[in-house]
Amino acid sequence: MTRDDLKTLIRTVPDFPAAGIQFRDITTLIADGRGLSATIDHLARLAPPGTASVAGIEARGFIFGTALAARLGVGFIPVRKAGKLPVETIGQDYALEYGEARVEIDPTLLSPGEQVLLVDDLIATGGTALAAAQLLRRAGARCDNALFVIDLPELGGADRLRDAGIASHALMDFAGH
Ligand SMILES: O=P(O)(O)OC[C@H]1O[C@H](OP(=O)(O)OP(=O)(O)O)[C@H](O)[C@@H]1O
Ligand SMILES: Nc1ncnc2[nH]cnc12
């Protein structure tokens, strides 16, 4: 399946979770077996050589991140929402398109200088991905690359990541918010 084929499997839900938001829903993509498999194929082709682990952002980033890590034969690092990890964590607050949140990681899961590939379903403002990358870097890992299924380019997230020294790719773009 091409990236254009995959794009047809994304469901758009207007005014969720707030008025004016066009919610790009990946559940219709992952419910399609060929679509899910092809998505992981496309992401795997974009993974940089030397990737030592994949970090995925809760919750939707876990779906693509774990599948990609298994495909690449590397470990998976969960970037969790606040209060979920059972050990001492480092955390970062951030703003997103429709609210505020905090992500946390267990820094002991990472080795110094380890090259971590950040994965999420979607990049909008980039606030979530930037917070996750900052955490991975604070833990001593390298985080210079990120992959997304969907980019909303008008919200400028990929530009923010580039300014922070993170190269990103997405399988598809959607215009508007
Ligand atoms: O680029 P940003 O403006 O930061 O927005 C993108 C983030 O928003 C969504 O997650 P959400 O916080 O809705 O959580 P979920 O994955 O648990 O549904 C999405 O999965 C990204 O993680
Ligand atoms: N428009 C959108 N659709 C789905 N997830 C999102 N996360 C942030 N903005 C989003």
Side-chain angles (χ1 to χ4, degrees):
M1 288 179 104
T2 66
R3 294 178 185 200
D4 284 344
D5 295 329
L6 296 178
K7 191 169 177 180
T8 68
L9 294 174
I10 301 292
R11 174 167 58 190
T12 295
V13 182
D15 299 321
F16 181 88
I21 303 286
Q22 297 269 77
F23 191 83
R24 308 299 180 178
D25 180 19
I26 50 95
T27 60
T28 39
L29 169 69
I30 61 176
D32 184 296
R34 289 179 60 232
L36 176 60
S37 175
T39 300
I40 302 307
D41 291 343
H42 283 284
L43 291 173
R45 271 184 231 117
L46 292 168
T51 296
S53 58
V54 173
I57 304 172
E58 186 174 1
R60 289 173 259 159
F62 286 4
I63 298 164
F64 299 105
T66 47
L68 178 61
R71 174 70 61 87
L72 298 177
V74 302
F76 177 78
I77 309 293
V79 180
R80 296 221 61 178
K81 299 284 166 62
K84 299 288 187 179
L85 286 167
V87 292
E88 199 171 317
T89 59
I90 54 174
Q92 188 82 34
D93 296 314
Y94 63 97
L96 76 170
E97 194 183 359
Y98 40 68
E100 291 197 347
R102 177 179 175 83
V103 282
E104 296 177 344
I105 61 169
D106 169 5
T108 69
L109 298 177
L110 294 152
S111 306
E114 173 175 339
Q115 191 176 312
V116 182
L117 174 61
L118 186 64
V119 171
D120 205 354
D121 68 318
L122 179 145
I123 181 162
T125 65
T128 310
L130 205 53
Q134 282 165 349
L135 274 182
L136 294 163
R137 287 173 166 176
R138 277 169 56 197
R142 277 180 56 197
C143 181
D144 305 328
N145 293 278
L147 296 179
F148 303 92
V149 178
I150 300 168
D151 183 16
L152 307 183
E154 287 165 39
L155 288 162
D159 298 334
R160 279 179 80 188
L161 290 188
R162 193 177 317 111
D163 290 346
I166 301 161
S168 69
H169 295 279
L171 302 187
M172 65 190 78
D173 288 349
F174 280 93
H177 287 203

